[in-house]
Amino acid sequence: MEQITGVIITLNEERHIEACIESMKKVCSSIIVVDSCSGDKTRELAEKAGARVVVQEYLGDGPQKNVGPDLSDTPWVLSLDADERLTPEMVAEIKALNLAESPVPAYGFPRKNYIGSRWIRHSGWYPDVCVRLYDHRKVRWKDVRMHSFVETRDFRVLKGNIIHYSYRGIGELFRKADSYSNAIAKNMYQRGKRAGAWSPFLHGLSALLKHYVIKGGFLDGVDGMTVSISSAINSYLKYAKLLEFQRDSEILKNEDFSKVW
């Protein structure tokens, strides 16, 4: 089996980091944790679990995820978030790959997203394919500050899954909507995106219909409705905040656009 370097970016992930590293050890010869100056025990726990820890002030999603691969001594990199895990089926599938003669530079993983211990099977949350295993000599994470991805269309999707412990519960799901929407609105404003008076309502309604009806959220029962409403609120808030940035100069004075998350 070709050697693989595992890479994880972290910020205050003491709750997840050990389990993530143990999961990656099943297929990785070494693991690099790129930590964004955590204030908890993330770095200590990562080193104890056998990872190499590199402290790097946060550069944005894409640039931060490229730090680890640039330090790796293997062509192939497995990139996971701290709250993601490999399933036994995925471990077996990765071990069976002949990466030295791979016909593609990257592999995508179907991702099972959870709220608490509940897998959300529809609502646009599955299969949620993410490229996570790749030859960093050939492909890299896109150089953007938010929602980066490995830049390639030449990848093969594996059959196994990875697990993503997205939220502890629905309370966390809704609490994060505020910070996520704020970051996205800042990013949109920086890029010159502008909203109209009806934008928040129309985008919120569109997100609700998309996730609950088109993406089959109704098949997930109460959780599907909850996820769909959360998506609608998040979409509404990001356009409402963008509109606020446009209309209220006092709000803009208090925003630090040099630190868009």
Side-chain angles (χ1 to χ4, degrees):
M1 174 182 167
E2 185 85 359
Q3 288 193 325
I4 300 170
T5 298
V7 175
I8 313 165
I9 66 168
T10 57
L11 174 63
N12 297 329
E13 291 286 1
E14 64 180 8
R15 185 165 66 95
H16 289 294
I17 190 60
E18 291 175 294
C20 183
I21 290 172
E22 290 305 315
S23 172
M24 297 180 87
K25 279 183 176 179
K26 296 172 183 176
V27 295
C28 296
S29 56
S30 62
I31 297 171
I32 299 172
V33 171
V34 181
D35 184 71
S36 305
C37 307
S38 291
D40 62 6
K41 296 181 179 179
T42 297
R43 295 193 297 274
E44 176 185 337
L45 293 172
E47 289 177 342
K48 186 177 179 181
R52 173 189 175 189
V53 176
V54 177
V55 179
Q56 171 62 61
E57 187 173 343
Y58 193 61
L59 302 170
D61 193 38
Q64 193 78 1
K65 286 179 176 174
N66 281 325
V67 171
D70 286 344
L71 298 172
S72 111
D73 57 3
T74 66
W76 285 87
V77 167
L78 172 65
S79 178
L80 292 185
D81 290 336
D83 56 2
E84 294 176 336
R85 312 282 182 268
L86 299 173
T87 59
E89 294 77 15
M90 182 58 77
V91 169
E93 208 168 350
I94 292 173
K95 287 183 175 180
L97 293 173
N98 182 4
L99 295 178
E101 300 178 10
S102 176
V104 293
Y107 291 87
F109 299 174
R111 183 167 65 168
K112 298 170 71 171
N113 295 290
Y114 282 73
I115 297 178
S117 60
R118 306 183 306 281
W119 170 28
I120 309 302
R121 290 171 167 80
H122 305 94
S123 311
W125 278 32
Y126 186 81
D128 189 25
V129 173
C130 307
V131 173
R132 288 287 190 261
L133 179 63
Y134 59 96
D135 185 337
H136 73 93
R137 300 169 303 179
K138 300 176 181 178
V139 296
R140 293 172 62 82
W141 289 87
K142 186 174 177 63
D143 188 18
V144 293
R145 293 191 63 85
M146 297 185 66
H147 304 305
S148 185
F149 54 90
V150 177
E151 286 191 282
T152 181
R153 293 184 179 180
D154 186 18
F155 65 91
R156 180 173 296 172
V157 179
L158 300 180
K159 295 179 181 179
N161 295 289
I162 57 173
I163 302 295
H164 182 208
Y165 294 109
S166 310
Y167 303 97
R168 296 187 191 187
I170 60 174
E172 186 176 58
L173 174 69
F174 282 94
R175 283 194 300 274
K176 286 188 175 181
D178 180 55
S179 60
Y180 286 167
S181 61
N182 202 51
I184 294 170
K186 287 180 182 180
N187 186 267
M188 291 165 66
Y189 188 85
Q190 268 195 322
R191 292 186 288 107
K193 180 82 172 179
R194 296 296 180 260
W198 284 91
S199 296
F201 172 75
L202 292 175
H203 283 275
L205 179 61
S206 175
L208 178 63
L209 294 175
K210 175 183 176 182
H211 288 275
Y212 192 70
V213 179
I214 299 173
K215 298 288 187 178
F218 63 91
L219 296 171
D220 288 322
V222 174
D223 284 331
M225 174 59 79
T226 301
V227 165
S228 300
I229 291 174
S230 170
S231 297
I233 290 173
N234 188 57
S235 188
Y236 179 91
L237 284 176
K238 71 183 182 183
Y239 281 94
K241 290 175 181 179
L242 175 60
L243 188 61
E244 185 177 46
F245 293 156
Q246 298 168 210
R247 298 171 60 239
D248 193 336
S249 60
E250 290 302 311
I251 294 292
L252 283 174
K253 290 178 183 177
N254 296 324
E255 292 293 336
D256 181 2
F257 286 99
S258 68
K259 297 181 179 180
V260 175
W261 175 75

